[in-house]
Amino acid sequence: MFMKIAIALLMVIHGVIHLLGFFKAYDIAEIEELKQPVTKKIGILWLIAFLIFAAMAVFFLAEIKIWMVFGISGLILSQALIIQTWQDAKFGTIPNIFLGVLLFISF
């Protein structure tokens, strides 16, 4: 059970980090780590990525298989956003790889 909670926590933390792009786009907070500009449209995608990862964690903990659908879509969106802002967000690829391996094993 500890491992399951740890994995869900990783999903949530990774999702929360995506909020930084949303916050930057809408000037909610000064995010000095993000040097590249983020448009409002892209900021919405960062927010959607957060929501997908949060839902993924809930469904994962509840052992509802749809978590995998959220996982695949979340990883694709997340990695696309990371690639777009590679200099600022490249380390987000690490949890994406871990979660991708988890998804692959779960199938």
Side-chain angles (χ1 to χ4, degrees):
M1 185 64 168
F2 171 77
M3 185 58 84
K4 190 172 195 172
I5 292 171
I7 291 169
L9 190 59
L10 172 67
M11 293 172 185
V12 171
I13 290 169
H14 188 53
V16 168
I17 291 170
H18 281 81
L19 283 176
L20 297 177
F22 173 74
F23 290 163
K24 178 167 178 99
Y26 285 86
D27 295 321
I28 295 170
E30 182 65 33
I31 312 295
E32 293 181 20
E33 293 78 15
L34 297 178
K35 309 276 188 252
Q36 297 173 292
V38 179
T39 66
K40 292 189 185 290
K41 289 179 183 177
I42 298 298
I44 292 296
L45 293 176
W46 284 99
L47 175 63
I48 291 169
F50 158 72
L51 294 171
I52 290 171
F53 278 106
M56 179 179 161
V58 169
F59 290 125
F60 177 77
L61 283 174
E63 297 182 4
I64 299 172
K65 292 283 185 184
I66 198 168
W67 78 267
M68 290 185 235
V69 175
F70 282 91
I72 292 168
S73 59
L75 290 177
I76 291 169
L77 177 57
S78 174
Q79 197 60 41
L81 291 167
I82 288 168
I83 289 168
Q84 182 185 14
T85 55
W86 184 255
Q87 291 302 315
D88 294 334
K90 61 186 164 220
F91 293 109
T93 300
I94 296 168
N96 280 349
I97 290 170
F98 176 81
L99 293 171
V101 169
L102 176 68
L103 277 165
F104 181 77
I105 292 169
S106 295
F107 279 115

